[in-house]
Amino acid sequence: MSRAIDSKRIQELLETNREGDFWDFKEFWYKNKADLVGDILNFANTQHHLDCYIIIGVEDATFKVIGTQDDDNRKNTQNIIDILRKIKFEGGRIPNVRVSTLKIEQKPIDVITISDSNQVPFYLTDQYKDGKVTIPAGVIYSRIEDTNTSKNQSTNSNSMEALWKKRLQLDLTPGQKLISSLKNPNKWIYQESSEVNIEYYYYYQDDPTYQIRIKQDLDDISKIMPFSFLQTDISITWYIIDLVISGTKIFDVQGVSLDGGRYFTIAPEPKFVEFINNYQSDPVKYYVLVNQSIKGFLYTFFKLKSLDSSEARMADDKFLQNIIVIENEEVLHRLENNLNRVVEASMDLLTPNEIEIESASRELKSKESGDLLYDKWAEQILITNNIAEMVNKNITKYLNF
């Protein structure tokens, strides 16, 4: 299942000032349909396990955003699907493609997302021609680094071998196969558990030895966290999520039930940043979720499984306001390297006032009893969430601060 594309992800790719093995920039929409099909085939046939993006409305030499507002050749998802359905693909397998329009720098840009698939290689059984451009039958294209295969030839033998290994999943360890299967949440079947310590589990339809087991975490963990503080009910129930193959645990992560059980998701990863003002000089936490990680894949999995009500969707929106969602570990490292300087330069903006602290402290007292420093706790929660809000508003700025 593909993730929804968002402007933050595209901004991160723009800031790289280069093209790569899963993204490309185009100044204008395709005038020739065979050129479009050729590029889709190159990105559909990649050796990695990532969705790919053709980003239109960006100069591919300067990476300046020009927008697609005046482009007469713009297409939507259905337009491209209609083109692909008229082409004879091997096995009738058509790449999964969609078009999204985003605003970057107040200008519309269009993003063609080509979903990752194990059904590679995609190729044609009959040639496809539009004008002077032809996609021959039987040739297999593949994106290698920032380069597409030439129209009149197949990719090299090493790439060809890698594509067939990907199709047969010979390029993956058992653990990687399990993670890859999370991209197909509709194939995971919910099952009540008869075991005392497991509340419920999912098994994978294609291989029932793959399981996701959910059990309550009985350790003494705080029932209130910064990422739960916008919820109608701010208390948390903690869970342990075990990813299992043939009864053997391969991975485990923490899960959380938010807003009185209305929404289940993954516990984000805590990070620390220095925070020194008139009131405190301690490191404070902020919380991140990395899309291209086990937690990121599980977040998407449970989002698709859990968003069955307006209350759950609202809880998810509030959850995302209090965490920072990052595409991959490389981008996270860039943010971590800059965040101390960002926080130091934004101290006044991030520091809550006395009224905000008092209100948050009352909320904490209503949920947690005991000999606690409520004002201190409230201030730390508000600072944490202010950091997330500030970064989310302009992540590109803070990646290059």
Side-chain angles (χ1 to χ4, degrees):
M1 178 67 67
S2 301
R3 299 170 182 272
I5 188 68
D6 59 44
S7 58
K8 184 163 67 172
R9 188 178 308 185
I10 297 304
Q11 285 174 331
E12 291 169 357
L13 296 178
L14 280 166
E15 290 298 325
T16 65
N17 288 325
R18 63 182 179 88
E19 295 173 337
D21 60 354
F22 70 92
W23 77 96
D24 195 14
F25 296 111
K26 298 289 182 185
E27 188 169 347
F28 304 110
W29 266 92
Y30 297 82
K31 293 182 179 180
N32 185 284
K33 291 182 287 187
D35 283 332
L36 170 62
V37 172
D39 281 1
I40 289 174
L41 283 168
N42 272 280
F43 278 114
N45 291 330
T46 53
Q47 300 173 33
H48 55 63
H49 293 268
L50 302 172
D51 290 350
C52 296
Y53 310 111
I54 301 173
I55 304 163
I56 305 173
V58 178
E59 291 182 347
D60 56 5
T62 65
F63 307 103
K64 178 183 177 182
V65 176
I66 61 172
T68 55
Q69 63 275 5
D70 299 321
D71 197 325
D72 294 334
N73 295 301
R74 293 178 76 181
K75 291 177 175 59
N76 58 31
T77 300
Q78 192 58 52
N79 296 148
I80 295 181
I81 290 174
D82 288 344
I83 292 171
L84 296 178
R85 283 178 175 169
K86 294 175 182 177
I87 299 172
K88 291 186 178 180
F89 285 86
E90 184 274 329
R93 295 173 295 104
I94 298 174
N96 185 4
V97 176
R98 71 179 185 278
V99 178
S100 307
T101 299
L102 307 173
K103 273 204 169 181
I104 304 288
E105 299 176 9
Q106 303 303 311
K107 298 174 183 176
I109 65 169
D110 297 328
V111 182
I112 305 174
T113 301
I114 302 96
S115 299
D116 177 51
S117 172
N118 290 330
Q119 298 300 307
V120 293
F122 292 94
Y123 60 93
L124 310 188
T125 54
D126 283 353
Q127 75 169 19
Y128 177 72
K129 186 174 183 179
D130 183 27
K132 297 181 179 180
V133 181
T134 300
I135 306 295
V139 300
I140 296 176
Y141 299 151
S142 182
R143 179 82 168 186
I144 301 174
E145 295 182 354
D146 61 353
T147 304
N148 289 344
T149 307
S150 298
K151 288 275 194 316
N152 60 349
Q153 65 184 45
S154 286
T155 188
N156 63 54
S157 58
N158 289 336
S159 178
M160 194 88 72
E161 180 181 355
L163 291 174
W164 284 106
K165 283 184 176 179
K166 181 179 179 180
R167 182 169 186 168
L168 299 172
Q169 293 196 313
L170 299 176
D171 61 331
L172 301 178
T173 66
Q176 289 172 328
K177 289 180 183 179
L178 174 57
I179 294 171
S180 180
S181 70
L182 296 175
K183 298 177 182 179
N184 300 300
N186 292 332
K187 290 189 173 185
W188 286 86
I189 311 301
Y190 175 89
Q191 188 74 42
E192 295 287 346
S193 175
S194 58
E195 297 185 35
V196 175
N197 64 333
I198 299 175
E199 295 202 5
Y200 60 94
Y201 66 95
Y202 295 91
Y203 67 88
Y204 191 48
Q205 201 170 29
D206 291 354
D207 187 347
T209 65
Y210 289 11
Q211 294 185 1
I212 303 171
R213 298 177 180 177
I214 293 90
K215 57 188 178 184
Q216 192 165 344
D217 191 343
L218 300 178
D219 288 344
D220 187 18
I221 307 175
S222 175
K223 293 183 174 63
I224 301 171
M225 298 294 286
F227 55 80
S228 71
F229 209 65
L230 284 180
Q231 304 294 332
T232 303
D233 183 343
I234 65 173
S235 58
I236 292 175
T237 302
W238 290 85
Y239 289 84
I240 296 174
I241 302 168
D242 290 335
L243 280 68
V244 174
I245 300 177
S246 300
T248 300
K249 181 171 69 176
I250 306 299
F251 306 103
D252 65 77
V253 298
Q254 284 184 310
V256 287
S257 179
L258 299 176
D259 199 20
R262 295 178 180 87
Y263 176 56
F264 185 85
T265 191
I266 298 300
E269 194 73 23
K271 301 289 181 180
F272 291 90
V273 63
E274 292 295 328
F275 194 92
I276 302 172
N277 62 10
N278 295 331
Y279 306 101
Q280 69 169 50
S281 59
D282 300 325
V284 297
K285 290 181 181 178
Y286 62 100
Y287 291 86
V288 301
L289 183 67
V290 179
N291 275 328
Q292 299 299 328
S293 70
I294 295 173
K295 283 194 171 186
F297 297 140
L298 282 169
Y299 165 76
T300 301
F301 177 90
F302 284 109
K303 180 175 181 176
L304 293 167
K305 293 291 187 183
S306 301
L307 296 191
D308 53 359
S309 68
S310 59
E311 290 88 353
R313 290 188 288 273
M314 188 179 299
D316 178 60
D317 289 341
K318 292 177 178 178
F319 171 69
L320 292 176
Q321 290 179 49
N322 287 157
I323 68 172
I324 301 169
V325 180
I326 294 291
E327 178 59 19
N328 54 45
E329 291 290 339
E330 178 185 351
V331 178
L332 175 59
H333 292 326
R334 288 171 59 195
L335 180 65
E336 288 179 311
N337 289 337
N338 294 339
L339 203 53
N340 278 324
R341 295 194 302 276
V342 170
V343 168
E344 184 179 357
S346 310
M347 202 67 69
D348 291 341
L349 176 66
L350 297 172
T351 301
N353 59 46
E354 291 183 3
I355 295 175
E356 291 170 330
I357 293 173
E358 183 180 348
S359 175
S361 182
R362 285 198 303 269
E363 182 79 3
L364 291 171
K365 288 177 183 177
S366 71
K367 292 291 184 179
E368 288 276 8
S369 60
D371 186 18
L372 302 172
L373 298 174
Y374 291 104
D375 287 355
K376 179 74 168 179
W377 188 13
E379 183 189 25
Q380 290 179 335
I381 286 176
L382 293 172
I383 292 170
T384 293
N385 291 344
N386 287 343
I387 291 172
E389 180 182 3
M390 180 185 70
V391 172
N392 286 332
K393 282 182 178 178
N394 196 346
I395 190 160
T396 302
K397 173 183 176 181
Y398 301 122
L399 288 174
N400 299 280
F401 194 80

